[in-house]
Amino acid sequence: MNVKEIFETMEYGPAPEAAAPGLAWIQERTPLNLFINNQWVKPAGGQYIDSINPATGKRLAQVAAATSADVDAAVAAARAAFETWSKAPGHVRARYMYAIARHIQKHSRLLAVLESLDNGKPIRETRDIDIPLVARHFYYHAGWAQLMESELPGYQPVGVVGQIIPWNFPLLMLAWKIAPALAMGNTVVLKPARYTSLTALKFAEIVQEIGLPPGVVNILTGEASQVGEALVRHPGINKIAFTGSTDVGRSIRRATAGSGKKLSLELGGKSPFIVFDDADLDSVVEGVVDAIWFNQGQVCCAGSRLLVQENIADRLIEKLRERMEHLRIGDPLDKAVDIGAIVSPGQLKEIQRLVNTGVEEGAVMWQPSWACPTEGYFFPPTLFTNVSPATTIAQVEIFGPVLVSMTFRTPAEAVELANNTRYGLAASVWSENINLALDVAPKLKAGTVWINCTNLFDATSGFGGYRESGFGREGGKEGLYEYVRPKWETLEAPAKEFHIAEESASTNGSRPAVSADEDREFEGGEQLLDGYTPMFPAIDRTPKMFIGGKQTRPDSGYSRDVYDPQGQVIGQVGEGNRKDIRNAVEAAHAAGGWAAGTTHNRAQILYYIAENLSVREDEFARRIVQQTGRSYADAAAEVQAAISRLFSYAAWADKYEGAVHRPPLRGVALAMPEAIGVIGMACPEEHPLLGFVSLVAPAIAMGNTIVVIPSQVAPLSATDCYQVLETSDLPAGVVNIVTGDRDLLSQVLAEHDDVDAIWYFGPAEGCKRIELASAGNMKRTWVSYGHPRGWMDTAQGEGEEFLREATQVKNIWVPYGE
Ligand code: NDP
């Protein structure tokens, strides 16, 4: 081709980045070993696995296949290192992390080349996106290491963290995991994906280079069945951080249930890309390219569902097809290439299978006229139209360069379609009308919403999912809390279970007796009224359930006795069952408008509840005495604490705000804490009133609606609240109370697909059951593992920890400028 022809066709020529430095690096080291305690160690089993270059299908390197013996060694190294690293001043950790960031920049081109060779993604992406973001994460988190003492004063590191990462952003996912962990004083054992280990091993060299203390970072390559599972089950690990498929996330949830390991899961997605008819269509087309063809569509937050307003759909589809004709696919090291190779033959096959399913299900498939390279694993950009929302390709994460498009007519329909997925990772909204975009964004069930942009990431802004896309955030201040625990929390063996009613009859005779004066009954017995003893028997008061703002009879038609510590029956409550829980969840959903109300209104109602409780202070104190046998003074202090707690959350209701992040772009990211939805909760046995209020108040202050199971042994303080709630302007269905067997009822809540989160304060065994059952729809759990909590202590019994558990952060990215 001569210059004139090039000028006329404007065709790109090849512009390859040299592979030689990367290949030489591999050549010198292969087979690559494990990185334990800053040493290169041969795998205990002596086995190595091949790493393939997906653009050629040929072997690139051999990496060690670790086994459980290697996991033991790495965890031991990390545990030993934790002793000193966790106590190192923040400034010291900051210096190391700053050095890591600098060294990543020094080796940036080698890292970019290695990543493209190993993963198949275009060098333009590794060079301009992955690696710069990796450095940025270490710089940013060096800052948090420096500031930890002043900004997170009540927190300590979690311990040894097991981190498992996928192959789609190998080094970037490593940075997202290791940077916050180290900043907060933890040590780590990280397993890269088996297809893409090379940049993690280059990172290990950087760790050596900068002289990070041995054992702080350990890298174990190998297979999921050997390394991944061993890490998940290892008793020496205090937290697992995982990114990958929802199915594996679910199995990790089950495997860690009851172990007390902290867990964060960043899972799959099927993110909507919503285009309104006033959007700038040329920008939209480029947005779609970034949304679904970036990294060959192997992106958890890929905008894989195009939702277009009906009147512009034909025009947009036509423009898209034209753009697709001009996308360039090929050698990932070619700087002019838009789409590289799919990571593995298995992944390629799966994409092909799902595309075939789409065609069989009646959708119309379109691909550009040009052909893919025949060597290596390539798949062309693919567009489906005529897709019905319930079909496989509209619901299942394809994890490839495949876009499915659907149409809508109104904004409400767009929101409905967008939320018609079990996932909730990200969404983008395209409209020139900022009012419309900002109205739609909070209605989308997704952890990140991009307005007129897509696939933007930065260390300042937390990333993570709603619903089956997982829980926990990575990045931003919100992400730090995944790597810390409150300073008061110990990791000692769980406390003995608090007594339960049936046992109390025989075992609790030694509880402090109520004084003669305190023993004066306030209901059901003789009560002195100015020296006059009434002749009437007390009016029977058997509390029912509290569902949808009404007191309803238990579905079972049974009641259960409530005993005092001496084993005397002091009352009865309804025996709740599965049906009562279902009704309560339905009522809680129907009250979903609570979250949309003003925070001022929620604060007012919490103050009002406190006011109405304080009117009946004496009655509530006596009820506590009656149920627990504690002294009147002690019980009165609990009522006072409950009133104060309601005040605290009334105060927080309009003050627990988000942040405006300033990522490096012309724009802002609004980090908004949002209500989770419907929370099911099992109250602690101790402190029948304060335990109940301590869970209910933060949850409703943040806009959640709830289904509460009160203390099983002492439910009467909660049932006495019915009238308090009824007279406090609380909308029906915001708080629903079902009495009965704690474990039976909480199990139903944990298995319920319409419950979004569950809090359980009970014995360790129950916590395990809750964590296991909640894996069904990946609901967020907050459990006590049987550890006691000082409910009377404001540092333990209230505050931001509760508010964080009651919310999830949505980051809304809003770029500005013409
Ligand atoms: P996986 O979820 O299987 O793998 C992710 C990581 O977890 C890898 O390091 C893997 O190890 C490890 N792993 C797998 N099984 C276990 C286990 N039981 N216990 C502990 N660790 C485990 O993803 P795949 O690579 O198989 O991809 C399958 C699908 O998952 C994709 O098609 C896509 O839909 C989704 N996915 C989502 C990602 C996201 O970012 N949300 C990222 C990657 C995939 P190993 O590599 O050795 O198998």
Side-chain angles (χ1 to χ4, degrees):
M1 199 183 265
N2 62 33
V3 174
K4 185 167 174 286
E5 280 167 346
I6 292 173
F7 202 73
E8 277 168 4
T9 60
M10 293 300 279
E11 276 285 315
Y12 291 97
E17 175 76 36
L23 293 173
W25 183 89
I26 296 167
Q27 194 66 42
E28 283 160 23
R29 289 158 181 80
T30 209
L32 289 127
N33 284 313
L34 306 171
F35 186 69
I36 302 175
N37 216 20
N38 280 16
Q39 310 273 318
W40 293 99
V41 181
K42 286 191 167 42
Q47 300 294 310
Y48 291 83
I49 48 178
D50 287 346
S51 192
I52 305 292
N53 178 346
T56 61
K58 299 204 172 85
R59 186 167 92 184
L60 191 60
Q62 279 194 304
V63 297
T67 56
S68 59
D70 302 307
V71 174
D72 288 343
V75 172
R79 175 64 52 204
F82 180 72
E83 292 309 311
T84 42
W85 181 251
S86 61
K87 296 184 185 78
H91 178 62
V92 170
R93 294 201 304 276
R95 281 181 178 228
Y96 281 117
M97 295 184 65
Y98 178 74
I100 292 177
R102 300 282 290 188
H103 280 242
I104 283 164
Q105 288 181 318
K106 284 185 212 174
H107 298 291
S108 62
R109 193 55 60 92
L110 175 62
L111 287 164
V113 170
L114 284 175
E115 200 78 304
S116 286
L117 285 170
D118 204 17
N119 168 283
K121 58 168 74 189
I123 184 80
R124 241 181 36 211
E125 292 177 11
T126 57
R127 184 195 60 194
D128 299 344
I129 298 173
D130 292 59
I131 309 304
L133 271 176
V134 169
R136 163 105 182 109
H137 264 264
F138 280 98
Y139 280 129
Y140 176 81
H141 284 96
W144 279 122
Q146 176 79 20
L147 298 177
M148 182 181 178
E149 224 167 297
S150 62
E151 295 303 304
L152 289 96
Y155 290 91
Q156 59 181 331
V158 172
V160 176
V161 184
Q163 307 187 313
I164 301 171
I165 57 171
W167 41 258
N168 54 346
F169 294 90
L171 193 63
L172 186 56
M173 288 302 104
L174 173 149
W176 280 24
K177 300 252 174 315
I178 291 187
L182 264 47
M184 295 295 102
N186 303 279
T187 56
V188 306
V189 180
L190 177 133
K191 176 198 148 14
R194 64 155 298 171
Y195 299 130
T196 53
S197 305
L198 297 185
T199 46
L201 296 171
K202 175 63 204 166
F203 178 82
E205 282 189 358
I206 290 176
V207 164
Q208 267 183 326
E209 228 168 70
I210 66 136
L212 192 72
V216 172
V217 169
N218 304 275
I219 311 270
L220 298 181
T221 52
E223 308 215 41
S225 58
Q226 295 292 316
V227 194
E229 290 182 18
L231 268 179
V232 166
R233 293 183 189 281
H234 204 289
I237 292 226
N238 304 105
K239 173 191 163 75
I240 292 286
F242 171 81
T243 299
S245 60
T246 294
D247 285 347
V248 173
R250 189 172 282 120
S251 80
I252 292 177
R253 163 73 292 175
R254 291 192 174 120
T256 55
S259 65
K261 287 190 179 92
K262 227 175 136 102
L263 180 63
S264 48
L265 299 172
E266 201 267 271
L267 310 174
K270 190 79 183 174
S271 300
F273 187 105
I274 308 168
V275 186
F276 287 100
D277 60 5
D278 62 352
D280 169 357
L281 289 196
D282 291 327
S283 304
V284 168
V285 169
E286 291 315 307
V288 172
V289 171
D290 282 344
I292 188 67
W293 295 307
F294 169 55
N295 203 22
Q296 297 69 250
Q298 302 167 129
V299 183
C300 48
C301 51
S304 52
R305 283 187 299 144
L306 175 65
L307 311 180
V308 198
Q309 201 149 15
E310 200 176 68
N311 52 334
I312 54 156
D314 290 346
R315 208 148 41 97
L316 179 60
I317 296 294
E318 196 187 310
K319 274 176 175 284
L320 261 180
R321 287 181 179 157
E322 195 184 319
R323 181 71 177 89
M324 288 165 77
E325 278 292 351
H326 292 94
L327 288 170
R328 291 166 62 92
I329 197 164
D331 177 9
L333 284 181
D334 185 339
K335 290 170 216 156
V337 145
D338 299 307
I339 302 180
I342 300 296
V343 74
S344 70
Q347 190 66 20
L348 183 62
K349 226 165 120 188
E350 181 62 6
I351 296 169
Q352 186 63 64
R353 186 186 71 78
L354 285 163
V355 165
N356 293 344
T357 307
V359 174
E360 282 159 21
E361 287 180 344
V364 176
M365 188 196 73
W366 190 90
Q367 290 174 336
S369 57
W370 43 258
C372 282
T374 47
E375 198 191 29
Y377 320 128
F378 290 89
F379 197 86
T382 303
L383 171 65
F384 274 105
T385 50
N386 198 29
V387 178
S388 127
T391 51
T392 310
I393 53 167
Q395 291 294 332
V396 172
E397 180 179 45
I398 300 177
F399 227 63
V402 183
L403 180 66
V404 300
S405 79
M406 287 165 271
T407 58
F408 65 86
R409 288 187 183 161
T410 62
E413 210 178 297
V415 169
E416 202 174 315
L417 260 182
N419 289 338
N420 178 22
T421 165
R422 62 194 177 112
Y423 297 113
L425 199 51
S428 36
V429 180
W430 294 75
S431 166
E432 289 301 292
N433 178 351
I434 191 71
N435 298 333
L436 173 65
L438 287 176
D439 183 43
V440 166
K443 295 176 181 157
L444 298 172
K445 302 261 186 233
T448 299
V449 178
W450 291 292
I451 293 178
N452 292 329
C453 57
T454 191
N455 274 342
L456 295 182
F457 311 97
D458 184 57
T460 50
S461 307
F463 184 85
Y466 283 25
R467 308 206 277 200
E468 291 191 35
S469 290
F471 43 77
R473 293 290 179 269
E474 293 185 300
K477 190 174 184 190
E478 60 259 40
L480 301 179
Y481 292 103
E482 301 298 331
Y483 289 97
V484 292
R485 58 194 169 88
K487 272 192 173 148
W488 59 263
E489 201 178 284
T490 63
L491 297 177
E492 289 157 12
K496 236 174 134 277
E497 189 180 349
F498 199 79
H499 81 284
I500 64 161
E502 286 75 5
E503 286 169 3
S504 66
S506 56
T507 56
N508 282 310
S510 61
R511 283 170 169 272
V514 187
S515 75
D517 182 41
E518 287 164 3
D519 209 12
R520 183 172 58 120
E521 287 201 340
F522 60 95
E523 109 171 347
E526 317 88 66
Q527 188 174 2
L528 291 174
L529 295 173
D530 292 334
Y532 170 69
T533 307
M535 301 304 290
F536 301 117
I539 298 174
D540 182 71
R541 251 179 77 190
T542 300
K544 303 171 189 163
M545 306 294 165
F546 189 63
I547 297 177
K550 295 198 182 75
Q551 298 195 31
T552 52
R553 282 182 211 295
D555 172 74
S556 68
Y558 285 99
S559 297
R560 61 162 43 215
D561 291 338
V562 180
Y563 301 89
D564 72 7
Q566 283 73 38
Q568 303 298 315
V569 174
I570 51 171
Q572 282 162 338
V573 291
E575 184 71 86
N577 69 9
R578 191 170 283 275
K579 179 88 182 352
D580 296 312
I581 291 284
R582 279 209 301 268
N583 292 342
V585 171
E586 209 170 293
H589 269 286
W594 176 244
T598 66
T599 52
H600 172 73
N601 182 47
R602 294 207 288 268
Q604 291 296 304
I605 289 174
L606 281 158
Y607 281 128
Y608 202 8
I609 296 173
E611 183 186 323
N612 286 328
L613 185 58
S614 92
V615 171
R616 295 166 60 181
E617 226 172 289
D618 175 63
E619 175 194 333
F620 271 88
R622 289 178 182 286
R623 186 64 112 180
I624 294 169
V625 171
Q626 191 189 23
Q627 295 175 101
T628 65
R630 287 169 20 214
S631 74
Y632 181 81
D634 201 20
E638 178 174 339
V639 181
Q640 280 303 331
I643 293 168
S644 163
R645 197 137 295 169
L646 285 159
F647 260 63
S648 289
Y649 289 111
W652 274 114
D654 56 6
K655 292 175 195 65
Y656 189 64
E657 292 178 325
V660 179
H661 296 312
R662 297 172 60 196
L665 91 155
R666 269 158 54 87
V668 291
L670 313 173
M672 304 200 333
E674 289 189 339
I676 296 174
V678 173
I679 305 182
M681 39 183 72
C683 295
E685 295 295 22
E686 63 275 26
H687 292 103
L689 178 66
L690 185 61
F692 172 80
V693 168
S694 299
L695 301 193
V696 169
I700 64 172
M702 294 297 103
N704 299 283
T705 58
I706 58 175
V707 178
V708 199
I709 305 160
S711 164
Q712 181 176 315
V713 289
L716 298 174
S717 297
T719 59
D720 285 349
C721 285
Y722 294 175
Q723 286 175 344
V724 173
L725 298 175
E726 278 166 345
T727 50
S728 303
D729 288 348
L730 185 74
V734 172
V735 174
N736 304 278
I737 303 172
V738 178
T739 51
D741 185 296
R742 175 194 57 207
D743 287 338
L744 191 142
L745 297 175
S746 56
Q747 183 78 14
V748 180
L749 277 172
E751 286 168 357
H752 200 303
D753 273 353
D754 279 340
V755 173
D756 302 295
I758 184 149
W759 299 358
Y760 178 97
F761 288 81
E765 187 46 40
C767 297
K768 178 174 179 177
R769 262 187 288 106
I770 290 299
E771 288 187 333
L772 273 175
S774 69
N777 72 342
M778 300 303 303
K779 57 176 70 70
R780 259 173 75 169
T781 56
W782 185 28
V783 303
S784 61
Y785 299 113
H787 291 294
R789 184 178 277 260
W791 294 103
M792 295 291 288
D793 176 359
T794 48
Q796 297 185 33
E798 69 176 56
E800 290 196 48
E801 188 189 1
F802 289 75
L803 297 166
R804 263 199 314 280
E805 291 293 345
T807 51
Q808 50 195 345
V809 178
K810 172 181 281 177
N811 274 276
I812 303 177
W813 291 64
V814 190
Y816 46 67
E818 280 294 308

